[in-house]
Amino acid sequence: MEESIVTNSGPASDDTGAARRHWKQNPEAVRANILEVARKAFVAHGLTGAKIDEIAAGTETSKRMIYYYFGDKEGLYRAVLEDAYAQMRAAEDELELASLHPVEALRRLAEFTFDHHASHEDFVRLVMVENMHKARHMKKAGDLSGQNISAIRLLDEIYQRGCTEGLFRRGLTAIELHWHISALAIFNVANRATFSSLFGTALFEPKGQQQLRRHVGDMLLRFVMKPGLSVEEASTKPIAEARAIHPDIYRFRETWDATWATLPTEGDAATRRLHFESVSRSLRLPSPEGVETDEEHWIDTDRGPVRVRLFRPPGSEPLPGMVFLHGGAWRQGSPETHWNITARLAAWSGHLVISVDYALAPEQTYPAALEQIPAVLGWARDHSGMLGLDPERLSIGGDGAGANLAAAATLICRDAGVKLAAQLLIYPVCDFDTTRPSCTEYAEGPLWTLAQLLSAHAQYCPDTTRRLSDPLISPLLARDHAGLPQAYLALAEHDPLRDSGIAYAEALRSAGVAVEVDSGKGLVRDYLHAIGFGSAAEDRLREMSAWMKAVAG
């Protein structure tokens, strides 16, 4: 048996010596150690097949102490069941569902149950073992009924709030809803082996599990909603906001944070880039129908060759075009990490999107990446016939660090007499004045902290003086913004650099540039990577695309 971890690392003994002193000093640790080892035994062998001698051998205590704490094997088995349910109920309590909008609370509970069972397969196996015994041990367990009644009460409270606010249809019970949630979450684990054998493993890989998790919430909500009322409409009904961040973004952050948590803290630039590529690939959705994505070109520049990937929408040529510069804090990212964004931007705006794999810091610092962009724009104009592109309708855009490069490139193009049709700046980095309110309010994120952004900026341009004075690094510092292309600024409310974007929009307006601003209420920096986690990110990208189509399409 695999040994469990307890505070005493010495050898096991019987009734005397160090182990016995340890029992007296920390009985809870001994009990927890026994439960951990016993749970694995019951999951692997069932109640009948598990042996007390083997369980004792896997602990740092003795068989006698197991009987002292739990009476007999069935008593130990009941205690394992109670502990498993207690852990689940404790995790549910941490969700603070009572403070959430009822639609969000019900989805959150459903998706939590799916996640819990998927990551605690032993819990599901124990439930299966107990069902084989017709639940006779659960009936004897002391606290199981109370624990699960509290869960039903919590679910009933959410349901009743939804009914009171006119969102949920009446006539259901919390026990019925609990059954539907449990059925989907348990099947995902209990039948994984047979289902995979028959139909393949795709649904049990990260992307498939993410999709199923979303489906569980969708199906439950559509079942409980009032006829004629959509989930989206219900979510926007007036209610005192307990949390300002959009629920879709919470779900995205859970996945995003979990995937990035696997990266070693001291990972070098190459490691981070590979990880970002892997994370993005796992979240990639099918491209919109009709969008061609397999065309690549290499462009010679004074700063080395640059690869571009084209996202070509269906439509009559010549097409309007956009040179798109991906985000990634100047240090990571590629056309592939932003595939979900550029493929949809092409489809919804009708633009031929030219996604640029520009030079990355810290190997190539400022101005390497920026000096590559005019060459890409020039190549697009020079090869417009081959590309099926209208050179008079060529725009530029990007997100995050890419939006910073795009804004700086518009200054270069203006001064060189090169006309651009529009600029799309998505949560742009316009300067680094850290005295603005958003820098204080969101210094610790979410998603990006101010310290991380400052560190990335310093790697992009190690020269501190230049970083704080050069308008091609901080476009807001330009003496004059007149003559720049019309702009759409998509900001994020919960972003340390939000106010930098607001200030840039004001500077453009003051210079007579037409500007449209989306404040990004409820959103965080990098929210466009949340496409696939609900409608919030998709709706914003559709609005940007509609603007591009209107002004340059």
Side-chain angles (χ1 to χ4, degrees):
M1 295 291 293
E2 178 182 343
E3 292 198 1
S4 299
I5 300 173
V6 294
T7 53
N8 174 28
S9 60
S13 65
D14 48 24
D15 297 1
T16 61
R20 184 173 179 82
R21 287 195 297 274
H22 174 66
W23 298 334
K24 291 183 177 180
Q25 293 167 1
N26 197 351
E28 286 303 312
V30 176
R31 191 177 189 279
N33 174 227
I34 295 170
L35 289 174
E36 176 69 12
V37 175
R39 188 188 80 248
K40 295 176 181 177
F42 290 132
V43 166
H45 306 293
L47 174 59
T48 305
K51 307 298 182 185
I52 291 291
D53 287 336
E54 294 177 359
I55 293 172
T59 69
E60 293 193 10
T61 183
S62 66
K63 181 176 177 180
R64 176 180 174 183
M65 290 305 295
I66 293 176
Y67 288 127
Y68 172 80
Y69 279 106
F70 303 103
D72 55 20
K73 187 167 75 169
E74 288 198 0
L76 175 58
Y77 174 73
R78 287 195 299 271
V80 168
L81 277 175
E82 292 173 17
D83 183 67
Y85 275 97
Q87 289 184 35
M88 183 174 181
R89 299 287 90 92
E92 283 176 348
D93 291 341
E94 293 179 2
L95 298 176
E96 299 180 343
L97 299 177
S99 66
L100 300 182
H101 187 292
V103 171
E104 181 189 355
L106 195 55
R107 179 186 289 281
R108 187 101 184 230
L109 180 59
E111 293 182 349
F112 159 81
T113 306
F114 183 91
D115 288 343
H116 177 275
H117 288 13
S119 59
H120 294 78
E121 294 186 12
D122 285 358
F123 176 83
V124 176
R125 305 301 178 202
L126 281 171
V127 172
M128 294 167 66
V129 169
E130 184 58 7
N131 271 287
M132 293 175 63
H133 291 280
K134 307 298 184 183
R136 65 185 178 88
H137 303 96
M138 292 183 71
K139 296 171 184 176
K140 298 178 182 179
D143 197 39
L144 279 181
S145 295
Q147 289 175 7
N148 289 281
I149 286 173
S150 69
I152 296 300
R153 285 174 178 165
L154 172 62
L155 185 52
D156 186 63
E157 189 275 333
I158 296 169
Y159 172 67
Q160 295 301 334
R161 280 198 293 124
C163 291
T164 300
E165 294 181 28
L167 307 175
F168 299 163
R169 62 189 178 98
R170 296 188 182 277
L172 302 173
T173 68
I175 292 177
E176 290 172 319
L177 297 180
H178 183 70
W179 185 93
H180 287 293
I181 295 171
S182 295
L184 294 168
I186 287 180
F187 183 96
N188 183 56
V189 176
N191 289 53
R192 181 171 299 183
T194 53
F195 195 100
S196 298
S197 177
L198 292 170
F199 306 111
T201 62
L203 288 179
F204 302 104
E205 293 169 359
K207 181 180 178 181
Q209 287 289 282
Q210 177 188 320
Q211 292 171 331
L212 291 179
R213 177 181 187 268
R214 178 73 182 178
H215 294 168
V216 169
D218 285 343
M219 287 189 285
L220 184 69
L221 286 171
R222 288 188 171 93
F223 170 69
V224 81
M225 301 301 300
K226 271 188 148 182
L229 183 63
S230 72
V231 174
E232 291 72 25
E233 289 171 331
S235 299
T236 60
K237 278 187 169 287
I239 186 170
E241 286 189 350
R243 293 183 176 175
I245 297 178
H246 194 285
D248 290 349
I249 304 304
Y250 268 110
R251 288 186 285 277
F252 160 66
R253 285 178 58 202
E254 289 172 357
T255 299
W256 189 258
D257 290 345
T259 54
W260 277 98
T262 62
L263 179 71
T265 304
E266 301 301 324
D268 59 15
T271 302
R272 292 188 63 85
R273 288 170 196 154
L274 287 173
H275 191 76
F276 190 20
E277 297 289 338
S278 176
V279 169
S280 301
R281 191 161 48 249
S282 71
L283 299 179
R284 186 181 299 172
L285 302 170
S287 298
E289 185 176 357
V291 175
E292 298 177 11
T293 62
D294 57 354
E295 185 177 349
E296 289 188 338
H297 296 276
W298 287 87
I299 301 165
D300 289 325
T301 79
D302 291 340
R303 289 288 187 162
V306 176
R307 179 179 66 95
V308 298
R309 179 181 288 277
L310 272 54
F311 293 83
R312 183 182 297 278
S316 301
E317 297 181 354
L319 297 166
M322 168 177 280
V323 170
F324 187 89
L325 306 164
H326 65 79
W330 299 280
R331 301 178 297 190
Q332 59 204 25
S334 69
E336 288 69 39
T337 61
H338 285 57
W339 193 298
N340 282 345
I341 299 169
T342 48
R344 282 154 184 77
L345 187 60
W348 299 338
S349 73
H351 280 63
L352 173 65
V353 177
I354 303 169
S355 189
V356 185
D357 195 12
Y358 56 82
L360 297 175
E363 294 89 344
Q364 299 192 67
T365 56
Y366 172 82
L370 182 59
E371 291 183 351
Q372 292 175 332
I373 297 166
V376 174
L377 289 164
W379 171 85
R381 289 180 182 277
D382 293 344
H383 295 82
S384 59
M386 178 267 291
L387 295 172
L389 173 71
D390 181 355
E392 299 304 314
R393 293 187 292 162
L394 183 61
S395 302
I396 194 167
D399 70 308
N404 167 271
L405 293 170
T410 64
L411 295 170
I412 295 173
C413 289
R414 178 200 61 183
D415 294 346
V418 176
K419 183 181 177 182
L420 294 172
Q423 55 179 320
L424 174 62
L425 308 180
I426 306 168
Y427 25 86
V429 183
C430 300
D431 79 333
F432 269 87
D433 180 351
T434 58
T435 64
R436 295 195 179 96
S438 63
C439 289
T440 302
E441 188 175 1
Y442 300 111
E444 297 304 317
L447 218 66
W448 280 93
T449 68
L450 181 61
Q452 288 173 323
L453 293 168
L454 290 171
S455 172
H457 204 221
Q459 283 194 312
Y460 173 57
C461 179
D463 186 335
T464 303
T465 302
R466 193 169 190 178
R467 207 162 58 235
L468 300 177
S469 61
D470 188 338
L472 296 183
I473 300 174
S474 298
L476 182 57
L477 302 180
R479 292 182 180 179
D480 182 12
H481 295 91
L484 294 176
Q486 56 193 322
Y488 188 108
L489 273 75
L491 308 180
E493 179 184 9
H494 304 277
D495 176 7
L497 301 183
R498 176 199 65 201
D499 293 345
S500 173
I502 292 173
Y504 195 63
E506 292 171 350
L508 291 175
R509 285 198 184 103
S510 296
V513 177
V515 180
E516 185 162 337
V517 177
D518 173 15
S519 64
K521 184 172 176 59
L523 302 178
V524 302
R525 190 172 192 81
D526 276 357
Y527 69 79
L528 282 185
H529 288 290
I531 291 173
F533 288 80
S535 63
E538 178 177 318
D539 288 348
R540 290 316 204 287
L541 188 56
R542 285 188 181 275
E543 290 171 9
M544 300 174 210
S545 300
W547 180 84
M548 287 298 303
K549 196 168 188 175
V551 303

